[in-house]
Amino acid sequence: MHAEDEMHDEILPLLPDPDDGAPWQAPALREQRLYELCRRDEAGEERAHYEYLRAVAVEGLYRPVTLPAAEGSEGAAPLTIMTLEDGRRVVPAYTVGVLPRPHPEVVYEFTTLGGLDALWPDDVDILLVNGGTPCARWFLADGDEREVWRDLHAELYEPDGTCDRVETRWTGAPEDEAVLRGLACGAHLCYANGDAWNTLNWHGAGYANEAEGLSDDWGVEDRDDWLRTQERLLRCEVSAWQWHFVLDVRNLLARETRNARIDPVAWRDHVETAFRAQAGEAEAADLDAHVSVLRELVGEVMRYEARFRADALLPPDGYVRSVAAWDLGRASMVARRGRGARYATQAELRDAVERAGHGARAAYGSWAEFSAGYVLGRCLHFDEETFGDWYTTVLEAHRVLMTHPESPWATIPLH
């Protein structure tokens, strides 16, 4: 726990029914569906209880664990058990939409019905899903019931089954436009992971998975690593300097000539001239090698942009002015994952996403331009002009994010 992090009493979810008897406003579509199933179950519909369990099998659950127990457990810490007044023992678990803001001493681990079964103690009687909320349901945990869990897990759970979708929180989202704008910078990654884009109450894929992901993807092993990586992303220092260099030269030419259509030969020549002027006394062989790479990069960018225009990722006369979005989009997500792994405080998360939003506003005129810059950065990093999955998947995400009514880019203006 970091001394500057905020202690609070919101350890387990508590979302009471409205006092006036009005329908409950669920935090997201997932919980709304579970709430409706609860009402149908209470009305005596036989299959509603089972359909609730099937929905849980698809989506997975989050279970509370004390931070000391979670650290180093790789997600396999023992289940937290509560004892009721009548002596029955209960394991609480929750869907992601009802989870409270992160706590310095308690984390939430992602699990599935199969995962719960594997850890289940023989002397625990009940699984309580979404306790403390209007979409709560109890499930017995005897041998026959847990066999149903195993069957449903095998039938319904897919590790990537909830990816590639727009997920929006209907309640509990921040109201500050600057914060929402910074969160919207992570739209591509939120879509790919199926994460809610508009929440600071970040639990992601669960504590252990968030820490593992930061380690595998970014080499981040602790708070200091996260702080360094986060700062480099916000300064757009992680993406290759060559990309920024060639685009900056074209932007300068476009301003000087007042013409967006820059001749490829002139662009390459100006790139070479500008680089040689900056390089100064470097060895001729090194200079020539760098110049060759930069001139080839101009052609690569142009070929990607031609494909982008053909796919309507860019307008017919459009081009990419900056790849800052590739770093800023990832900065928005790394900030959240740092919070999920407890490397970042809530204040640091908020500050980081606000800075990402400010950077996006400075670099782009619209979310469509931001998205094209992100796609180009991703392709230059991974795709090697194959126009394979690294391109096609993010192109599909772009199309959804530009048209879905609950997309972050339809919700919060860039300017």
Side-chain angles (χ1 to χ4, degrees), residues 159-167 186-196 333 374 378 390 393-394 396-398 401:
D160 297 326
T162 59
C163 297
D164 297 327
R165 66 182 184 183
V166 174
E167 175 79 1
H188 269 294
L189 287 165
C190 286
Y191 176 85
N193 298 331
D195 292 323
M333 181 55 70
Y374 181 92
R378 175 181 162 109
W390 286 112
T393 55
V394 79
E396 178 59 26
H398 168 86
L401 289 165

Side-chain angles (χ1 to χ4, degrees), residues 226-303:
W226 175 80
L227 286 167
R228 284 190 293 269
T229 300
Q230 186 69 57
E231 186 64 25
R232 291 186 64 223
L233 282 166
L234 289 169
R235 292 176 178 270
C236 298
E237 295 174 351
V238 175
S239 52
W241 67 265
Q242 294 93 334
W243 308 348
H244 298 279
F245 187 84
V246 299
L247 294 181
D248 287 345
V249 169
R250 180 171 61 179
N251 293 338
L252 178 60
L253 280 172
R255 288 194 298 271
E256 289 178 347
T257 62
R258 299 183 181 180
N259 183 2
R261 291 187 174 275
I262 301 300
D263 178 73
V265 175
W267 184 9
R268 288 188 175 95
D269 289 345
H270 277 78
V271 163
E272 178 171 352
T273 300
F275 178 74
R276 289 187 184 277
Q278 289 187 14
E281 301 296 325
E283 292 287 336
D286 291 338
L287 273 175
D288 291 344
H290 282 297
V291 165
S292 177
V293 169
L294 291 171
R295 292 181 71 97
E296 289 174 5
L297 180 57
V298 168
E300 185 177 1
V301 169
M302 292 180 65
R303 289 187 290 275

Side-chain angles (χ1 to χ4, degrees), residues 99-386:
L99 295 182
R101 54 183 165 147
H103 192 279
E105 296 178 349
V106 176
V107 299
Y108 282 84
E109 295 284 22
F110 179 78
T111 189
T112 62
L113 289 182
L116 287 171
D117 175 66
L119 294 173
W120 200 268
D122 291 335
D123 59 348
V124 175
D125 308 294
I126 293 170
L127 168 65
L128 173 58
V129 178
N130 287 346
T133 81
C135 59
R137 271 296 169 268
W138 304 76
F139 296 92
L140 295 177
D142 57 25
D144 290 342
E145 178 68 14
R146 284 165 54 197
E147 184 176 354
V148 173
W149 298 2
R150 292 190 291 271
D151 290 344
L152 288 178
H153 175 78
E155 175 191 353
L156 298 173
Y157 181 71
E158 298 179 9
D160 297 326
T162 59
C163 297
D164 297 327
R165 66 182 184 183
V166 174
E167 175 79 1
T168 301
R169 291 290 165 81
W170 298 339
T171 66
E175 297 181 356
D176 189 306
E177 188 173 282
V179 173
L180 289 169
R181 185 176 297 110
L183 292 171
C185 290
H188 269 294
L189 287 165
C190 286
Y191 176 85
N193 298 331
D195 292 323
W197 73 268
N198 60 333
T199 181
L200 291 173
N201 296 343
W202 188 260
H203 299 275
Y207 169 75
N209 289 327
E210 293 296 277
E212 182 181 2
L214 284 173
S215 175
D216 292 346
D217 297 342
W218 293 98
V220 169
E221 303 289 348
D222 55 30
R223 172 173 166 78
D224 288 341
D225 287 345
W226 175 80
L227 286 167
R228 284 190 293 269
T229 300
Q230 186 69 57
E231 186 64 25
R232 291 186 64 223
L233 282 166
L234 289 169
R235 292 176 178 270
C236 298
E237 295 174 351
V238 175
S239 52
W241 67 265
Q242 294 93 334
W243 308 348
H244 298 279
F245 187 84
V246 299
L247 294 181
D248 287 345
V249 169
R250 180 171 61 179
N251 293 338
L252 178 60
L253 280 172
R255 288 194 298 271
E256 289 178 347
T257 62
R258 299 183 181 180
N259 183 2
R261 291 187 174 275
I262 301 300
D263 178 73
V265 175
W267 184 9
R268 288 188 175 95
D269 289 345
H270 277 78
V271 163
E272 178 171 352
T273 300
F275 178 74
R276 289 187 184 277
Q278 289 187 14
E281 301 296 325
E283 292 287 336
D286 291 338
L287 273 175
D288 291 344
H290 282 297
V291 165
S292 177
V293 169
L294 291 171
R295 292 181 71 97
E296 289 174 5
L297 180 57
V298 168
E300 185 177 1
V301 169
M302 292 180 65
R303 289 187 290 275
Y304 272 118
E305 289 176 331
R307 178 63 179 268
F308 291 2
R309 295 185 198 101
D311 291 333
L313 181 60
L314 284 173
D317 60 347
Y319 62 98
V320 177
R321 293 171 175 81
S322 172
V323 287
W326 176 234
D327 278 356
L328 295 173
R330 294 182 297 168
S332 180
M333 181 55 70
V334 167
R336 285 174 265 202
R337 296 178 75 180
R339 183 68 179 134
R342 297 305 188 274
Y343 298 148
T345 67
Q346 197 75 2
E348 288 167 338
L349 166 58
R350 189 182 185 94
D351 177 70
V353 296
E354 283 190 14
R355 287 179 61 190
H358 291 319
R361 292 184 79 178
Y364 299 99
S366 68
W367 285 121
E369 290 184 10
F370 177 92
S371 184
Y374 181 92
V375 175
L376 179 59
R378 175 181 162 109
C379 287
L380 291 174
H381 192 109
F382 290 117
D383 183 60
E384 297 181 345
E385 291 193 83
T386 65

